[in-house]
């Protein structure tokens, strides 16, 4: 069974640029959630995708957008990057979007915005 | 607004000591999870609790969910250096199923 994978591992961008982060969910999982974890803080929920549809969104501006593909992998896109977007971006997959189902996290993508 | 408050923020102890970390909220959660995260890695799930008053044990770790499902604690007996890491609690609610709210964590250091 393959776990959650994310790419790239690290990324450096400059202010105003755009970035795309990728996540492959665990085998058999149809739900992917994205989180932003700033240094010294807990993960903050960005949005969740279930069967290719957005299924809930946290307090993030529209320049944070996403996609889920038929194989349930997912992308997080961030436009017009700001310095405060520097963080560890985590994706988590689960077998169902219900609150009881365990989420399994990937290792994250470390984004640095200069 | 931080819905989940974890305490203490930092904890440094000697190997063999016992410790308890807390996760408190004014909100009711349908489930609460504890994770451990090491530097440069994603959080790893330790336990999920769903019933008020529930106690779960995982080797030397004991997790308790408050009767009102607003708070939780994690107790570690005879801590070992391998327990070092960031301990995060995360709550989910029926109205927002699957979208977990995380606390800012407790950073635990166990010295040999």
């Amino acid at each position: 069974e393959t776990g959650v994978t994310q790419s790239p591992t690290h990324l450096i961008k400059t202010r105003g640029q755009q970035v795309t982060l990728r996540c492959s969910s665990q085998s058999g999982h149809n739900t992917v959630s994205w989180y932003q974890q700033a240094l010294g803080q807990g993960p903050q929920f960005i949005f969740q995708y279930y069967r290719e549809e957005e299924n809930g969104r946290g307090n993030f501006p529209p320049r944070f957008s996403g996609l889920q593909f038929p194989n349930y992998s997912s992308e997080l896109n961030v436009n017009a990057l700001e310095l405060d977007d520097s963080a560890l971006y985590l994706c988590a997959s689960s077998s169902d979007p219900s609150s009881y189902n365990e989420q399994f996290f990937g290792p994250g993508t470390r984004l640095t915005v200069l | 607004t931080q819905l989940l408050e974890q305490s203490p923020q930092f904890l440094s102890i000697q190997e063999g000591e016992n410790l308890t970390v807390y996760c408190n909220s004014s909100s009711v959660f349908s489930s609460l999870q504890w994770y451990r995260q090491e530097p440069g890695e994603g959080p790893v799930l330790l336990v999920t609790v769903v019933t008020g008053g529930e106690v779960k044990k995982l080797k030397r770790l004991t997790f308790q969910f408050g009767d009102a499902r607003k708070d939780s604690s994690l107790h570690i007996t005879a801590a070992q250096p391998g327990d070092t890491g960031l301990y995060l609690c995360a709550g989910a609610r029926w109205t927002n199923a699957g979208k977990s709210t995380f606390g800012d964590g407790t950073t635990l250091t166990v010295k040999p």
Side-chain angles (χ1 to χ4, degrees):
Chain A
E1 186 176 89
T2 307
V4 179
T5 60
Q6 292 186 244
S7 63
T9 306
H10 296 87
L11 201 52
I12 299 175
K13 291 284 188 178
T14 56
R15 248 183 335 175
Q17 285 189 311
Q18 177 266 342
V19 68
T20 298
L21 310 181
R22 295 178 175 82
C23 170
S24 292
S25 60
Q26 185 164 310
S27 176
H29 287 183
N30 57 24
T31 304
V32 172
S33 301
W34 285 93
Y35 293 84
Q36 180 195 66
Q37 186 175 23
L39 201 60
Q41 297 182 16
Q44 300 290 313
F45 175 73
I46 303 175
F47 43 56
Q48 182 185 80
Y49 278 84
Y50 170 57
R51 292 185 175 178
E52 302 179 60
E53 298 283 335
E54 187 178 288
N55 185 43
R57 188 180 182 93
N59 294 325
F60 280 81
R63 60 190 185 83
F64 285 78
S65 63
L67 281 174
Q68 188 177 33
F69 300 99
N71 67 354
Y72 303 128
S73 65
S74 178
E75 285 183 356
L76 164 65
N77 298 290
V78 187
N79 293 322
L81 283 166
E82 300 177 0
L83 297 179
D84 285 349
D85 295 334
S86 294
L88 181 67
Y89 287 85
L90 296 162
C91 83
S93 74
S94 56
S95 59
D96 186 281
S98 83
S99 65
Y100 288 169
N101 277 284
E102 300 175 354
Q103 299 185 91
F104 294 88
F105 282 84
T109 293
R110 172 71 63 186
L111 173 64
T112 302
V113 182
L114 302 176
Chain B
T1 304
Q2 181 58 269
L3 296 179
L4 279 171
E5 298 286 342
Q6 289 191 244
S7 61
Q9 187 177 359
F10 298 97
L11 188 56
S12 181
I13 61 172
Q14 292 295 133
E15 182 175 2
E17 292 184 0
N18 301 331
L19 67 115
T20 302
V21 298
Y22 301 92
C23 175
N24 295 299
S25 176
S26 57
S27 302
V28 176
F29 291 100
S30 56
S31 68
L32 193 138
Q33 298 177 328
W34 284 92
Y35 294 83
R36 179 165 158 262
Q37 184 178 23
E38 298 195 30
E41 299 182 9
V44 175
L45 180 67
L46 297 174
V47 77
T48 299
V49 286
V50 297
T51 305
E54 182 176 5
V55 176
K56 281 192 174 179
K57 292 192 174 184
L58 183 66
K59 298 183 180 177
R60 294 178 293 100
L61 278 60
T62 301
F63 304 86
Q64 184 162 10
F65 201 13
D67 290 342
R69 303 209 309 271
K70 293 182 179 181
D71 54 83
S72 181
S73 63
L74 159 59
H75 182 80
I76 301 179
T77 303
Q80 299 176 0
D83 295 328
T84 293
L86 175 67
Y87 288 83
L88 294 159
C89 66
R93 287 183 261 174
W94 281 116
T95 55
N96 207 23
K99 296 86 171 176
S100 297
T101 299
F102 280 80
D104 282 341
T106 293
T107 299
L108 171 65
T109 303
V110 182
K111 300 175 184 176

